[in-house]
mmCIF file of all heavy atoms in Angstrom:
data_model
loop_
_atom_site.group_PDB
_atom_site.id
_atom_site.type_symbol
_atom_site.label_atom_id
_atom_site.label_comp_id
_atom_site.label_asym_id
_atom_site.label_seq_id
_atom_site.Cartn_x
_atom_site.Cartn_y
_atom_site.Cartn_z
ATOM 1 N N THR E 97 -4.454 4.306 12.454
ATOM 2 C CA THR E 97 -3.321 3.731 13.298
ATOM 3 C C THR E 97 -2.801 2.411 12.639
ATOM 4 O O THR E 97 -1.637 2.202 12.583
ATOM 5 C CB THR E 97 -3.969 3.446 14.655
ATOM 6 O OG1 THR E 97 -4.344 4.657 15.314
ATOM 7 C CG2 THR E 97 -2.954 2.672 15.592
ATOM 8 N N HIS E 98 -3.786 1.631 12.084
ATOM 9 C CA HIS E 98 -3.371 0.375 11.433
ATOM 10 C C HIS E 98 -2.552 0.683 10.116
ATOM 11 O O HIS E 98 -1.650 0.011 9.855
ATOM 12 C CB HIS E 98 -4.604 -0.473 11.111
ATOM 13 C CG HIS E 98 -4.224 -1.878 10.761
ATOM 14 N ND1 HIS E 98 -3.803 -2.761 11.619
ATOM 15 C CD2 HIS E 98 -4.238 -2.423 9.491
ATOM 16 C CE1 HIS E 98 -3.505 -3.922 10.919
ATOM 17 N NE2 HIS E 98 -3.801 -3.713 9.655
ATOM 18 N N ARG E 99 -2.992 1.694 9.405
ATOM 19 C CA ARG E 99 -2.273 2.111 8.168
ATOM 20 C C ARG E 99 -0.875 2.526 8.503
ATOM 21 O O ARG E 99 0.086 2.044 7.809
ATOM 22 C CB ARG E 99 -3.034 3.224 7.545
ATOM 23 C CG ARG E 99 -2.389 3.772 6.238
ATOM 24 C CD ARG E 99 -2.573 2.931 5.047
ATOM 25 N NE ARG E 99 -1.413 2.100 4.825
ATOM 26 C CZ ARG E 99 -1.387 1.088 3.932
ATOM 27 N NH1 ARG E 99 -2.431 0.820 3.223
ATOM 28 N NH2 ARG E 99 -0.328 0.366 3.861
ATOM 29 N N GLN E 100 -0.683 3.293 9.541
ATOM 30 C CA GLN E 100 0.660 3.693 9.963
ATOM 31 C C GLN E 100 1.497 2.491 10.352
ATOM 32 O O GLN E 100 2.683 2.339 10.064
ATOM 33 C CB GLN E 100 0.630 4.696 11.112
ATOM 34 C CG GLN E 100 0.002 6.003 10.740
ATOM 35 C CD GLN E 100 -0.400 6.873 11.895
ATOM 36 O OE1 GLN E 100 -0.487 6.442 13.024
ATOM 37 N NE2 GLN E 100 -0.532 8.157 11.621
ATOM 38 N N TRP E 101 0.903 1.541 11.067
ATOM 39 C CA TRP E 101 1.557 0.269 11.457
ATOM 40 C C TRP E 101 2.015 -0.532 10.234
ATOM 41 O O TRP E 101 3.070 -0.949 10.156
ATOM 42 C CB TRP E 101 0.636 -0.508 12.325
ATOM 43 C CG TRP E 101 1.137 -1.782 12.841
ATOM 44 C CD1 TRP E 101 1.970 -1.979 13.959
ATOM 45 C CD2 TRP E 101 0.891 -3.088 12.357
ATOM 46 N NE1 TRP E 101 2.193 -3.343 14.098
ATOM 47 C CE2 TRP E 101 1.590 -4.039 13.171
ATOM 48 C CE3 TRP E 101 0.158 -3.585 11.253
ATOM 49 C CZ2 TRP E 101 1.552 -5.405 12.920
ATOM 50 C CZ3 TRP E 101 0.166 -4.982 11.041
ATOM 51 C CH2 TRP E 101 0.864 -5.839 11.862
ATOM 52 N N LEU E 102 1.108 -0.674 9.267
ATOM 53 C CA LEU E 102 1.437 -1.405 8.046
ATOM 54 C C LEU E 102 2.620 -0.732 7.322
ATOM 55 O O LEU E 102 3.533 -1.348 6.786
ATOM 56 C CB LEU E 102 0.228 -1.394 7.086
ATOM 57 C CG LEU E 102 -0.815 -2.545 7.318
ATOM 58 C CD1 LEU E 102 -1.956 -2.338 6.266
ATOM 59 C CD2 LEU E 102 -0.176 -3.897 7.198
ATOM 60 N N ASP E 103 2.521 0.650 7.183
ATOM 61 C CA ASP E 103 3.563 1.326 6.480
ATOM 62 C C ASP E 103 4.945 1.161 7.091
ATOM 63 O O ASP E 103 5.902 1.053 6.365
ATOM 64 C CB ASP E 103 3.179 2.799 6.336
ATOM 65 C CG ASP E 103 1.978 3.065 5.398
ATOM 66 O OD1 ASP E 103 1.683 2.125 4.571
ATOM 67 O OD2 ASP E 103 1.434 4.157 5.354
ATOM 68 N N LYS E 104 4.963 1.093 8.388
ATOM 69 C CA LYS E 104 6.265 0.938 9.076
ATOM 70 C C LYS E 104 6.809 -0.448 8.808
ATOM 71 O O LYS E 104 7.977 -0.622 8.544
ATOM 72 C CB LYS E 104 6.109 1.081 10.660
ATOM 73 C CG LYS E 104 5.978 2.500 11.025
ATOM 74 C CD LYS E 104 5.741 2.670 12.529
ATOM 75 C CE LYS E 104 5.466 4.075 12.888
ATOM 76 N NZ LYS E 104 5.118 4.263 14.314
ATOM 77 N N HIS E 105 5.872 -1.455 8.725
ATOM 78 C CA HIS E 105 6.332 -2.824 8.333
ATOM 79 C C HIS E 105 6.764 -2.911 6.872
ATOM 80 O O HIS E 105 7.725 -3.654 6.544
ATOM 81 C CB HIS E 105 5.314 -3.842 8.679
ATOM 82 C CG HIS E 105 5.216 -4.037 10.153
ATOM 83 N ND1 HIS E 105 6.151 -4.716 10.881
ATOM 84 C CD2 HIS E 105 4.268 -3.667 11.072
ATOM 85 C CE1 HIS E 105 5.847 -4.767 12.147
ATOM 86 N NE2 HIS E 105 4.725 -4.129 12.334
ATOM 87 N N ILE E 106 6.125 -2.134 6.042
ATOM 88 C CA ILE E 106 6.459 -2.164 4.610
ATOM 89 C C ILE E 106 7.899 -1.543 4.485
ATOM 90 O O ILE E 106 8.766 -2.136 3.773
ATOM 91 C CB ILE E 106 5.534 -1.385 3.756
ATOM 92 C CG1 ILE E 106 4.182 -2.140 3.653
ATOM 93 C CG2 ILE E 106 6.051 -1.070 2.400
ATOM 94 C CD1 ILE E 106 2.990 -1.295 3.125
ATOM 95 N N LEU E 107 8.186 -0.445 5.201
ATOM 96 C CA LEU E 107 9.542 0.169 5.125
ATOM 97 C C LEU E 107 10.574 -0.844 5.679
ATOM 98 O O LEU E 107 11.616 -0.938 5.055
ATOM 99 C CB LEU E 107 9.525 1.427 5.938
ATOM 100 C CG LEU E 107 8.822 2.620 5.340
ATOM 101 C CD1 LEU E 107 8.598 3.730 6.340
ATOM 102 C CD2 LEU E 107 9.626 3.174 4.143
ATOM 103 N N CYS E 108 10.245 -1.456 6.777
ATOM 104 C CA CYS E 108 11.225 -2.402 7.391
ATOM 105 C C CYS E 108 11.477 -3.584 6.380
ATOM 106 O O CYS E 108 12.600 -3.984 6.189
ATOM 107 C CB CYS E 108 10.658 -2.944 8.706
ATOM 108 S SG CYS E 108 11.738 -4.117 9.518
ATOM 109 N N PHE E 109 10.419 -4.107 5.816
ATOM 110 C CA PHE E 109 10.527 -5.213 4.902
ATOM 111 C C PHE E 109 11.359 -4.914 3.720
ATOM 112 O O PHE E 109 12.351 -5.625 3.309
ATOM 113 C CB PHE E 109 9.118 -5.625 4.475
ATOM 114 C CG PHE E 109 8.860 -6.281 3.206
ATOM 115 C CD1 PHE E 109 9.608 -7.459 2.781
ATOM 116 C CD2 PHE E 109 8.015 -5.826 2.207
ATOM 117 C CE1 PHE E 109 9.497 -8.073 1.592
ATOM 118 C CE2 PHE E 109 7.849 -6.431 1.019
ATOM 119 C CZ PHE E 109 8.553 -7.561 0.685
ATOM 120 N N ILE E 110 11.141 -3.746 3.157
ATOM 121 C CA ILE E 110 11.912 -3.300 1.921
ATOM 122 C C ILE E 110 13.369 -3.106 2.332
ATOM 123 O O ILE E 110 14.290 -3.452 1.630
ATOM 124 C CB ILE E 110 11.342 -2.055 1.313
ATOM 125 C CG1 ILE E 110 9.900 -2.367 0.707
ATOM 126 C CG2 ILE E 110 12.242 -1.519 0.225
ATOM 127 C CD1 ILE E 110 9.856 -3.443 -0.377
ATOM 128 N N SER E 111 13.621 -2.479 3.502
ATOM 129 C CA SER E 111 14.987 -2.199 3.933
ATOM 130 C C SER E 111 15.809 -3.488 4.258
ATOM 131 O O SER E 111 17.045 -3.367 4.153
ATOM 132 C CB SER E 111 15.018 -1.280 5.159
ATOM 133 O OG SER E 111 14.599 -1.975 6.306
ATOM 134 N N GLU E 112 15.148 -4.540 4.486
ATOM 135 C CA GLU E 112 15.863 -5.808 4.788
ATOM 136 C C GLU E 112 16.135 -6.654 3.578
ATOM 137 O O GLU E 112 16.895 -7.619 3.642
ATOM 138 C CB GLU E 112 15.053 -6.572 5.871
ATOM 139 C CG GLU E 112 15.167 -5.926 7.228
ATOM 140 C CD GLU E 112 14.544 -6.741 8.345
ATOM 141 O OE1 GLU E 112 14.210 -7.957 8.134
ATOM 142 O OE2 GLU E 112 14.402 -6.189 9.494
ATOM 143 N N LEU E 113 15.551 -6.280 2.448
ATOM 144 C CA LEU E 113 15.749 -7.052 1.229
ATOM 145 C C LEU E 113 17.147 -6.834 0.704
ATOM 146 O O LEU E 113 17.753 -5.750 0.882
ATOM 147 C CB LEU E 113 14.753 -6.614 0.184
ATOM 148 C CG LEU E 113 13.341 -7.121 0.313
ATOM 149 C CD1 LEU E 113 12.472 -6.457 -0.780
ATOM 150 C CD2 LEU E 113 13.230 -8.653 0.229
ATOM 151 N N GLN E 114 17.689 -7.871 0.090
ATOM 152 C CA GLN E 114 19.022 -7.815 -0.652
ATOM 153 C C GLN E 114 18.630 -7.752 -2.132
ATOM 154 O O GLN E 114 17.631 -8.292 -2.580
ATOM 155 C CB GLN E 114 19.853 -9.009 -0.311
ATOM 156 C CG GLN E 114 20.255 -9.167 1.147
ATOM 157 C CD GLN E 114 20.935 -7.956 1.654
ATOM 158 O OE1 GLN E 114 21.951 -7.537 1.111
ATOM 159 N NE2 GLN E 114 20.577 -7.397 2.838
ATOM 160 N N GLU E 115 19.555 -7.189 -2.931
ATOM 161 C CA GLU E 115 19.338 -7.146 -4.379
ATOM 162 C C GLU E 115 19.062 -8.507 -4.914
ATOM 163 O O GLU E 115 18.195 -8.702 -5.750
ATOM 164 C CB GLU E 115 20.489 -6.473 -5.064
ATOM 165 C CG GLU E 115 20.305 -6.136 -6.491
ATOM 166 C CD GLU E 115 19.451 -4.913 -6.742
ATOM 167 O OE1 GLU E 115 19.367 -4.021 -5.923
ATOM 168 O OE2 GLU E 115 18.838 -4.910 -7.834
ATOM 169 N N SER E 116 19.739 -9.546 -4.411
ATOM 170 C CA SER E 116 19.559 -10.920 -4.913
ATOM 171 C C SER E 116 18.172 -11.456 -4.596
ATOM 172 O O SER E 116 17.743 -12.336 -5.279
ATOM 173 C CB SER E 116 20.676 -11.817 -4.336
ATOM 174 O OG SER E 116 20.598 -11.819 -2.960
ATOM 175 N N ASP E 117 17.578 -10.992 -3.529
ATOM 176 C CA ASP E 117 16.187 -11.445 -3.157
ATOM 177 C C ASP E 117 15.206 -11.143 -4.255
ATOM 178 O O ASP E 117 14.130 -11.743 -4.417
ATOM 179 C CB ASP E 117 15.807 -10.864 -1.815
ATOM 180 C CG ASP E 117 16.656 -11.144 -0.666
ATOM 181 O OD1 ASP E 117 17.172 -12.371 -0.691
ATOM 182 O OD2 ASP E 117 16.759 -10.393 0.272
ATOM 183 N N LEU E 118 15.455 -9.978 -4.969
ATOM 184 C CA LEU E 118 14.420 -9.469 -5.853
ATOM 185 C C LEU E 118 14.156 -10.389 -7.054
ATOM 186 O O LEU E 118 13.064 -10.310 -7.680
ATOM 187 C CB LEU E 118 14.763 -8.088 -6.371
ATOM 188 C CG LEU E 118 14.919 -7.038 -5.268
ATOM 189 C CD1 LEU E 118 15.404 -5.771 -5.825
ATOM 190 C CD2 LEU E 118 13.578 -6.811 -4.578
ATOM 191 N N ASN E 119 15.051 -11.255 -7.341
ATOM 192 C CA ASN E 119 14.901 -12.224 -8.483
ATOM 193 C C ASN E 119 14.277 -13.508 -8.015
ATOM 194 O O ASN E 119 13.985 -14.395 -8.866
ATOM 195 C CB ASN E 119 16.194 -12.472 -9.165
ATOM 196 C CG ASN E 119 16.668 -11.209 -9.900
ATOM 197 O OD1 ASN E 119 15.874 -10.445 -10.503
ATOM 198 N ND2 ASN E 119 17.953 -10.925 -9.806
ATOM 199 N N ALA E 120 14.055 -13.684 -6.745
ATOM 200 C CA ALA E 120 13.437 -14.908 -6.264
ATOM 201 C C ALA E 120 11.994 -15.017 -6.874
ATOM 202 O O ALA E 120 11.371 -14.039 -7.172
ATOM 203 C CB ALA E 120 13.370 -14.877 -4.741
ATOM 204 N N ILE E 121 11.556 -16.227 -6.987
ATOM 205 C CA ILE E 121 10.216 -16.515 -7.481
ATOM 206 C C ILE E 121 9.272 -16.606 -6.274
ATOM 207 O O ILE E 121 9.554 -17.425 -5.379
ATOM 208 C CB ILE E 121 10.147 -17.794 -8.347
ATOM 209 C CG1 ILE E 121 11.126 -17.691 -9.529
ATOM 210 C CG2 ILE E 121 8.685 -18.134 -8.753
ATOM 211 C CD1 ILE E 121 10.780 -16.534 -10.486
ATOM 212 N N LEU E 122 8.262 -15.856 -6.376
ATOM 213 C CA LEU E 122 7.211 -15.861 -5.257
ATOM 214 C C LEU E 122 6.019 -16.702 -5.810
ATOM 215 O O LEU E 122 5.492 -16.366 -6.805
ATOM 216 C CB LEU E 122 6.681 -14.432 -4.905
ATOM 217 C CG LEU E 122 5.671 -14.353 -3.860
ATOM 218 C CD1 LEU E 122 6.206 -14.731 -2.481
ATOM 219 C CD2 LEU E 122 5.071 -12.944 -3.810
ATOM 220 N N THR E 123 5.713 -17.713 -5.055
ATOM 221 C CA THR E 123 4.587 -18.593 -5.420
ATOM 222 C C THR E 123 3.417 -18.301 -4.412
ATOM 223 O O THR E 123 3.709 -18.331 -3.203
ATOM 224 C CB THR E 123 4.981 -20.095 -5.475
ATOM 225 O OG1 THR E 123 5.970 -20.274 -6.446
ATOM 226 C CG2 THR E 123 3.730 -20.936 -5.782
ATOM 227 N N TYR E 124 2.316 -17.999 -4.882
ATOM 228 C CA TYR E 124 1.183 -17.611 -4.023
ATOM 229 C C TYR E 124 -0.121 -17.972 -4.674
ATOM 230 O O TYR E 124 -0.217 -18.346 -5.829
ATOM 231 C CB TYR E 124 1.224 -16.109 -3.738
ATOM 232 C CG TYR E 124 1.041 -15.307 -5.012
ATOM 233 C CD1 TYR E 124 -0.266 -14.898 -5.397
ATOM 234 C CD2 TYR E 124 2.061 -14.955 -5.846
ATOM 235 C CE1 TYR E 124 -0.451 -14.146 -6.558
ATOM 236 C CE2 TYR E 124 1.862 -14.155 -7.002
ATOM 237 C CZ TYR E 124 0.602 -13.784 -7.346
ATOM 238 O OH TYR E 124 0.396 -13.112 -8.479
ATOM 239 N N ARG E 125 -1.157 -17.972 -3.873
ATOM 240 C CA ARG E 125 -2.541 -18.167 -4.386
ATOM 241 C C ARG E 125 -3.272 -16.888 -4.345
ATOM 242 O O ARG E 125 -3.209 -16.085 -3.395
ATOM 243 C CB ARG E 125 -3.322 -19.144 -3.494
ATOM 244 C CG ARG E 125 -2.776 -20.543 -3.521
ATOM 245 C CD ARG E 125 -3.686 -21.456 -2.646
ATOM 246 N NE ARG E 125 -3.037 -22.799 -2.604
ATOM 247 C CZ ARG E 125 -3.273 -23.695 -3.569
ATOM 248 N NH1 ARG E 125 -3.966 -23.442 -4.577
ATOM 249 N NH2 ARG E 125 -2.689 -24.885 -3.439
ATOM 250 N N ASN E 126 -4.061 -16.590 -5.425
ATOM 251 C CA ASN E 126 -4.822 -15.399 -5.446
ATOM 252 C C ASN E 126 -6.086 -15.651 -4.572
ATOM 253 O O ASN E 126 -6.245 -16.668 -4.000
ATOM 254 C CB ASN E 126 -5.165 -14.894 -6.816
ATOM 255 C CG ASN E 126 -6.150 -15.802 -7.597
ATOM 256 O OD1 ASN E 126 -6.778 -16.764 -7.028
ATOM 257 N ND2 ASN E 126 -6.352 -15.456 -8.843
ATOM 258 N N THR E 127 -6.963 -14.624 -4.503
ATOM 259 C CA THR E 127 -8.184 -14.781 -3.626
ATOM 260 C C THR E 127 -9.115 -15.820 -4.124
ATOM 261 O O THR E 127 -10.039 -16.255 -3.387
ATOM 262 C CB THR E 127 -8.864 -13.481 -3.521
ATOM 263 O OG1 THR E 127 -9.257 -12.981 -4.828
ATOM 264 C CG2 THR E 127 -7.923 -12.419 -2.831
ATOM 265 N N LYS E 128 -8.951 -16.356 -5.350
ATOM 266 C CA LYS E 128 -9.779 -17.397 -5.811
ATOM 267 C C LYS E 128 -9.086 -18.749 -5.745
ATOM 268 O O LYS E 128 -9.626 -19.778 -6.218
ATOM 269 C CB LYS E 128 -10.145 -17.142 -7.270
ATOM 270 C CG LYS E 128 -11.048 -15.939 -7.467
ATOM 271 C CD LYS E 128 -11.394 -15.675 -8.880
ATOM 272 C CE LYS E 128 -12.477 -14.606 -8.997
ATOM 273 N NZ LYS E 128 -12.036 -13.455 -9.673
ATOM 274 N N GLY E 129 -7.903 -18.751 -5.144
ATOM 275 C CA GLY E 129 -7.175 -19.994 -4.942
ATOM 276 C C GLY E 129 -6.271 -20.426 -6.083
ATOM 277 O O GLY E 129 -5.695 -21.549 -5.997
ATOM 278 N N ILE E 130 -6.204 -19.650 -7.143
ATOM 279 C CA ILE E 130 -5.387 -19.986 -8.269
ATOM 280 C C ILE E 130 -3.935 -19.689 -7.926
ATOM 281 O O ILE E 130 -3.600 -18.602 -7.414
ATOM 282 C CB ILE E 130 -5.781 -19.259 -9.523
ATOM 283 C CG1 ILE E 130 -7.280 -19.527 -9.876
ATOM 284 C CG2 ILE E 130 -4.880 -19.514 -10.700
ATOM 285 C CD1 ILE E 130 -7.892 -18.649 -10.906
ATOM 286 N N VAL E 131 -3.007 -20.639 -8.261
ATOM 287 C CA VAL E 131 -1.612 -20.541 -7.881
ATOM 288 C C VAL E 131 -0.818 -19.788 -9.049
ATOM 289 O O VAL E 131 -1.119 -19.989 -10.226
ATOM 290 C CB VAL E 131 -0.994 -21.930 -7.710
ATOM 291 C CG1 VAL E 131 0.527 -21.813 -7.490
ATOM 292 C CG2 VAL E 131 -1.617 -22.663 -6.575
ATOM 293 N N PHE E 132 0.012 -18.873 -8.643
ATOM 294 C CA PHE E 132 0.848 -18.090 -9.536
ATOM 295 C C PHE E 132 2.252 -18.130 -9.022
ATOM 296 O O PHE E 132 2.503 -18.241 -7.828
ATOM 297 C CB PHE E 132 0.414 -16.634 -9.582
ATOM 298 C CG PHE E 132 -0.904 -16.453 -10.233
ATOM 299 C CD1 PHE E 132 -2.077 -16.395 -9.505
ATOM 300 C CD2 PHE E 132 -0.994 -16.227 -11.643
ATOM 301 C CE1 PHE E 132 -3.327 -16.224 -10.111
ATOM 302 C CE2 PHE E 132 -2.227 -15.999 -12.234
ATOM 303 C CZ PHE E 132 -3.379 -16.075 -11.465
ATOM 304 N N SER E 133 3.219 -18.058 -9.912
ATOM 305 C CA SER E 133 4.672 -17.902 -9.585
ATOM 306 C C SER E 133 5.169 -16.850 -10.445
ATOM 307 O O SER E 133 5.144 -16.873 -11.667
ATOM 308 C CB SER E 133 5.376 -19.231 -9.885
ATOM 309 O OG SER E 133 4.930 -20.277 -9.029
ATOM 310 N N LYS E 134 5.725 -15.746 -9.742
ATOM 311 C CA LYS E 134 6.203 -14.559 -10.406
ATOM 312 C C LYS E 134 7.433 -14.101 -9.696
ATOM 313 O O LYS E 134 7.609 -14.229 -8.462
ATOM 314 C CB LYS E 134 5.159 -13.496 -10.370
ATOM 315 C CG LYS E 134 3.866 -13.931 -11.222
ATOM 316 C CD LYS E 134 2.887 -12.722 -11.316
ATOM 317 C CE LYS E 134 1.625 -13.231 -11.973
ATOM 318 N NZ LYS E 134 1.746 -13.487 -13.388
ATOM 319 N N PRO E 135 8.324 -13.375 -10.381
ATOM 320 C CA PRO E 135 9.526 -12.809 -9.724
ATOM 321 C C PRO E 135 9.068 -11.780 -8.651
ATOM 322 O O PRO E 135 8.175 -11.002 -8.932
ATOM 323 C CB PRO E 135 10.195 -12.126 -10.902
ATOM 324 C CG PRO E 135 9.719 -12.719 -12.179
ATOM 325 C CD PRO E 135 8.343 -13.149 -11.835
ATOM 326 N N LEU E 136 9.731 -11.861 -7.555
ATOM 327 C CA LEU E 136 9.432 -10.927 -6.448
ATOM 328 C C LEU E 136 9.453 -9.408 -6.862
ATOM 329 O O LEU E 136 8.603 -8.656 -6.532
ATOM 330 C CB LEU E 136 10.383 -11.183 -5.251
ATOM 331 C CG LEU E 136 10.127 -10.272 -4.055
ATOM 332 C CD1 LEU E 136 8.713 -10.470 -3.398
ATOM 333 C CD2 LEU E 136 11.156 -10.570 -2.925
ATOM 334 N N ASN E 137 10.503 -9.059 -7.682
ATOM 335 C CA ASN E 137 10.611 -7.682 -8.113
ATOM 336 C C ASN E 137 9.388 -7.238 -8.866
ATOM 337 O O ASN E 137 8.847 -6.079 -8.685
ATOM 338 C CB ASN E 137 11.920 -7.401 -8.767
ATOM 339 C CG ASN E 137 12.110 -8.242 -10.068
ATOM 340 O OD1 ASN E 137 11.313 -9.091 -10.382
ATOM 341 N ND2 ASN E 137 13.188 -7.967 -10.738
ATOM 342 N N SER E 138 8.874 -8.094 -9.709
ATOM 343 C CA SER E 138 7.676 -7.733 -10.505
ATOM 344 C C SER E 138 6.413 -7.626 -9.612
ATOM 345 O O SER E 138 5.612 -6.689 -9.822
ATOM 346 C CB SER E 138 7.417 -8.776 -11.607
ATOM 347 O OG SER E 138 8.479 -8.817 -12.512
ATOM 348 N N VAL E 139 6.313 -8.532 -8.645
ATOM 349 C CA VAL E 139 5.113 -8.458 -7.776
ATOM 350 C C VAL E 139 5.217 -7.265 -6.809
ATOM 351 O O VAL E 139 4.217 -6.618 -6.530
ATOM 352 C CB VAL E 139 5.021 -9.751 -6.990
ATOM 353 C CG1 VAL E 139 3.812 -9.743 -6.094
ATOM 354 C CG2 VAL E 139 4.896 -10.938 -7.981
ATOM 355 N N LEU E 140 6.426 -6.883 -6.408
ATOM 356 C CA LEU E 140 6.644 -5.680 -5.601
ATOM 357 C C LEU E 140 6.206 -4.467 -6.391
ATOM 358 O O LEU E 140 5.532 -3.498 -5.829
ATOM 359 C CB LEU E 140 8.058 -5.511 -5.147
ATOM 360 C CG LEU E 140 8.471 -6.337 -3.949
ATOM 361 C CD1 LEU E 140 9.936 -6.250 -3.702
ATOM 362 C CD2 LEU E 140 7.694 -5.863 -2.654
#
Side-chain angles (χ1 to χ4, degrees):
T97 299
H98 192 74
R99 176 76 263 171
Q100 292 167 344
W101 181 82
L102 275 177
D103 289 345
K104 286 178 187 174
H105 286 288
I106 292 168
L107 285 166
C108 181
F109 155 53
I110 295 298
S111 74
E112 290 187 9
L113 286 174
Q114 301 296 313
E115 190 76 26
S116 59
D117 297 328
L118 297 175
N119 293 319
I121 300 300
L122 179 70
T123 300
Y124 64 92
R125 291 182 186 279
N126 71 6
T127 57
K128 294 181 172 118
I130 301 169
V131 176
F132 291 91
S133 294
K134 298 185 184 289
L136 181 61
N137 58 357
S138 297
V139 180
L140 279 170

